[in-house]
Coordinates of all heavy atoms in Angstrom, one line a residue:
Chain A
G570 N 5.7 5.0 -12.8 CA 5.0 5.4 -11.5 C 5.3 6.9 -11.2 O 5.0 7.3 -10.1
H571 N 6.0 7.6 -12.1 CA 6.2 9.1 -11.9 C 5.4 9.9 -12.7 O 5.1 9.4 -13.9 CB 7.7 9.4 -12.1 CG 8.6 8.9 -11.2 ND1 8.9 9.3 -10.0 CD2 9.5 7.7 -11.2 CE1 9.8 8.6 -9.3 NE2 10.2 7.6 -10.1
V572 N 5.1 11.1 -12.3 CA 4.6 12.1 -13.3 C 5.8 12.8 -14.0 O 6.6 13.4 -13.3 CB 3.7 13.1 -12.5 CG1 3.3 14.2 -13.6 CG2 2.5 12.4 -12.0
E573 N 5.8 12.7 -15.3 CA 7.0 13.3 -16.1 C 6.6 14.7 -16.4 O 7.5 15.6 -16.3 CB 7.2 12.5 -17.2 CG 7.8 11.1 -17.0 CD 9.3 11.1 -16.9 OE1 10.0 11.9 -17.5 OE2 9.8 10.2 -16.1
Q574 N 5.4 15.0 -16.8 CA 5.1 16.3 -17.2 C 3.6 16.5 -17.2 O 2.8 15.5 -17.5 CB 5.6 16.7 -18.6 CG 5.5 18.1 -18.9 CD 6.1 18.4 -20.3 OE1 6.6 17.6 -21.0 NE2 6.1 19.8 -20.6
I575 N 3.1 17.7 -16.9 CA 1.7 18.1 -17.0 C 1.5 19.3 -17.8 O 2.3 20.3 -17.6 CB 1.1 18.4 -15.6 CG1 1.4 17.3 -14.6 CG2 -0.4 18.6 -15.5 CD1 1.1 17.6 -13.1
G576 N 0.6 19.3 -18.7 CA 0.4 20.5 -19.4 C -0.7 20.4 -20.5 O -1.3 19.3 -20.7
T577 N -1.0 21.5 -21.2 CA -1.9 21.3 -22.3 C -1.2 20.5 -23.5 O 0.1 20.4 -23.5 CB -2.3 22.8 -22.8 OG1 -1.1 23.3 -23.4 CG2 -2.8 23.6 -21.8
P578 N -2.0 20.0 -24.3 CA -1.4 19.2 -25.4 C -0.3 20.0 -26.2 O 0.8 19.5 -26.5 CB -2.6 18.9 -26.3 CG -3.8 18.9 -25.4 CD -3.6 19.9 -24.3
E579 N -0.6 21.2 -26.5 CA 0.3 22.2 -27.1 C 1.6 22.3 -26.3 O 2.7 22.1 -26.9 CB -0.3 23.6 -27.2 CG 0.4 24.6 -27.8 CD 0.3 24.6 -29.2 OE1 -0.6 24.0 -29.8 OE2 1.1 25.4 -29.9
E580 N 1.5 22.6 -25.1 CA 2.6 22.7 -24.1 C 3.5 21.5 -24.1 O 4.7 21.5 -24.4 CB 2.3 23.0 -22.8 CG 2.0 24.5 -22.4 CD 1.2 24.6 -21.1 OE1 1.3 23.6 -20.3 OE2 0.6 25.6 -20.9
V581 N 2.9 20.3 -23.9 CA 3.7 19.1 -23.7 C 4.4 18.8 -25.1 O 5.5 18.2 -25.2 CB 3.0 17.9 -23.2 CG1 2.6 18.1 -21.7 CG2 1.8 17.5 -24.0
Y582 N 3.7 19.0 -26.2 CA 4.2 18.6 -27.5 C 5.3 19.6 -27.9 O 6.4 19.2 -28.3 CB 3.1 18.6 -28.6 CG 3.6 18.0 -29.8 CD1 3.6 16.7 -30.0 CD2 4.1 18.8 -30.9 CE1 4.1 16.1 -31.2 CE2 4.5 18.3 -32.1 CZ 4.6 16.9 -32.2 OH 5.0 16.3 -33.4
R583 N 5.1 20.9 -27.6 CA 6.1 22.0 -28.0 C 7.3 21.9 -27.1 O 8.4 22.2 -27.5 CB 5.4 23.3 -28.0 CG 4.5 23.4 -29.1 CD 4.7 24.5 -30.1 NE 4.1 24.3 -31.3 CZ 4.7 24.6 -32.5 NH1 5.9 25.1 -32.6 NH2 4.1 24.3 -33.6
H584 N 7.0 21.8 -25.8 CA 8.1 21.9 -24.8 C 8.2 20.7 -23.9 O 7.9 20.8 -22.7 CB 7.9 23.3 -24.0 CG 7.7 24.4 -24.9 ND1 8.6 25.0 -25.6 CD2 6.5 25.2 -25.1 CE1 8.2 26.0 -26.3 NE2 6.9 26.2 -26.0
P585 N 8.5 19.6 -24.4 CA 8.7 18.4 -23.6 C 9.7 18.7 -22.5 O 10.8 19.2 -22.7 CB 9.0 17.3 -24.6 CG 9.5 18.0 -25.8 CD 8.9 19.4 -25.8
A586 N 9.3 18.2 -21.3 CA 10.2 18.5 -20.2 C 11.4 17.5 -20.1 O 12.4 17.8 -19.5 CB 9.5 18.5 -18.8
T587 N 11.2 16.3 -20.6 CA 12.2 15.3 -20.4 C 12.3 14.5 -21.7 O 11.4 14.5 -22.6 CB 11.8 14.2 -19.3 OG1 10.7 13.6 -19.8 CG2 11.6 15.0 -18.0
P588 N 13.5 13.9 -22.0 CA 13.7 13.0 -23.2 C 12.5 12.0 -23.3 O 12.1 11.7 -24.3 CB 15.0 12.3 -22.9 CG 15.8 13.2 -22.0 CD 14.7 13.8 -21.0
F589 N 12.1 11.5 -22.1 CA 11.0 10.5 -22.2 C 9.8 11.0 -22.8 O 9.1 10.5 -23.7 CB 10.6 10.0 -20.8 CG 9.3 9.2 -20.8 CD1 9.3 7.9 -21.2 CD2 8.2 9.9 -20.4 CE1 8.1 7.2 -21.3 CE2 7.0 9.2 -20.5 CZ 6.9 7.9 -20.8
V590 N 9.4 12.3 -22.4 CA 8.2 12.9 -23.0 C 8.4 13.2 -24.4 O 7.5 12.9 -25.3 CB 7.9 14.2 -22.2 CG1 6.7 14.9 -22.9 CG2 7.6 14.0 -20.7
Y591 N 9.6 13.7 -24.8 CA 9.8 14.0 -26.2 C 9.6 12.7 -27.0 O 8.9 12.7 -28.1 CB 11.2 14.5 -26.4 CG 11.4 15.1 -27.7 CD1 11.4 16.5 -28.0 CD2 11.7 14.3 -28.9 CE1 11.5 17.0 -29.2 CE2 11.8 14.8 -30.1 CZ 11.7 16.1 -30.3 OH 11.9 16.7 -31.6
G592 N 10.2 11.6 -26.6 CA 10.3 10.3 -27.3 C 8.9 9.8 -27.3 O 8.5 9.1 -28.3
F593 N 8.1 9.9 -26.2 CA 6.8 9.3 -26.2 C 5.8 10.0 -27.1 O 4.8 9.3 -27.5 CB 6.2 9.2 -24.7 CG 5.1 8.3 -24.6 CD1 5.4 6.9 -24.5 CD2 3.9 8.7 -24.5 CE1 4.4 6.0 -24.4 CE2 2.8 7.8 -24.4 CZ 3.1 6.5 -24.3
L594 N 5.9 11.2 -27.3 CA 4.9 12.0 -28.1 C 5.0 12.1 -29.6 O 4.2 12.6 -30.2 CB 4.9 13.5 -27.6 CG 4.4 13.8 -26.1 CD1 4.4 15.1 -25.8 CD2 3.0 13.1 -26.0
G595 N 6.0 11.2 -30.1 CA 6.0 11.1 -31.6 C 7.3 10.5 -31.9 O 8.1 10.1 -31.1
S596 N 7.4 10.3 -33.3 CA 8.7 9.7 -33.8 C 9.8 10.6 -33.6 O 9.8 11.9 -33.6 CB 8.6 9.5 -35.3 OG 7.4 8.7 -35.6
V597 N 11.0 10.1 -33.3 CA 12.2 11.0 -33.0 C 13.4 10.4 -33.7 O 13.6 9.3 -34.1 CB 12.5 11.0 -31.5 CG1 11.5 11.6 -30.7 CG2 12.8 9.5 -31.0
N598 N 14.3 11.4 -34.0 CA 15.7 11.1 -34.3 C 16.6 11.6 -33.2 O 16.5 12.7 -32.9 CB 16.0 11.8 -35.7 CG 15.2 11.3 -36.8 OD1 15.3 10.1 -37.3 ND2 14.2 12.1 -37.3

Side-chain angles (χ1 to χ4, degrees):
Chain A
H571 292 279
V572 171
E573 293 271 329
Q574 191 175 2
I575 308 168
T577 63
E579 178 87 12
E580 274 165 21
V581 293
Y582 190 80
R583 293 238 156 219
H584 309 289
T587 63
F589 166 79
V590 174
Y591 194 98
F593 197 78
L594 289 182
S596 309
V597 292
N598 294 291

